[in-house]
Amino acid sequence: VNVDIKLGVNKFYVDEGNPHIVLMVNPDPVEFNKLMLACPAWLYKQDDQGQYLFDSAGCLECGTCRVLCGDTILEKWTFPVGTQGVEFRYG
Ligand code: SF4
């Protein structure tokens, strides 16, 4: 089963003004690289200029980044408030 297709059926309610995960200004490159491999939603990325990119919009709230690298690159990690965040769908 293709993981991208499975993830694509989930629905996300994004709290635009209040991201539930925030990166530090200059994240440790070694730690960031770990998350480019470990995040199951591939939200930790690097562009062609080497800039680190992160968008919490597709977060699965698995906690992997918090457990693996929390204090070294994350300014904030919380669950989305209220009814925001991922709604898992199976199909
Ligand atoms: Fe990725 Fe999981 Fe961290 Fe969300 S909680 S950004 S899905 S590793």
Side-chain angles (χ1 to χ4, degrees):
V1 175
N2 186 308
V3 174
D4 288 335
I5 292 173
K6 297 293 272 184
L7 289 175
V9 300
N10 293 325
K11 188 163 172 48
F12 297 93
Y13 300 92
V14 181
D15 196 350
E16 296 288 355
N18 182 31
H20 68 286
I21 300 174
V22 178
L23 278 185
M24 291 177 178
V25 175
N26 293 309
D28 182 303
V30 174
E31 299 298 309
F32 194 95
N33 286 343
K34 286 184 195 171
L35 296 185
M36 287 200 294
L37 298 172
C39 173
W42 301 286
L43 299 180
Y44 294 85
K45 299 174 183 167
Q46 206 169 13
D47 68 13
D48 294 341
Q49 282 75 45
Q51 293 289 323
Y52 294 114
L53 307 174
F54 174 75
D55 184 355
S56 64
C59 177
L60 301 171
E61 301 166 30
C62 68
T64 300
C65 55
R66 181 182 189 178
V67 172
L68 205 57
C69 306
D71 291 343
T72 58
I73 72 164
L74 298 178
E75 186 74 38
K76 171 186 174 186
W77 195 106
T78 60
F79 285 107
V81 295
T83 57
Q84 305 291 315
V86 65
E87 176 184 308
F88 289 102
R89 293 178 172 182
Y90 304 93

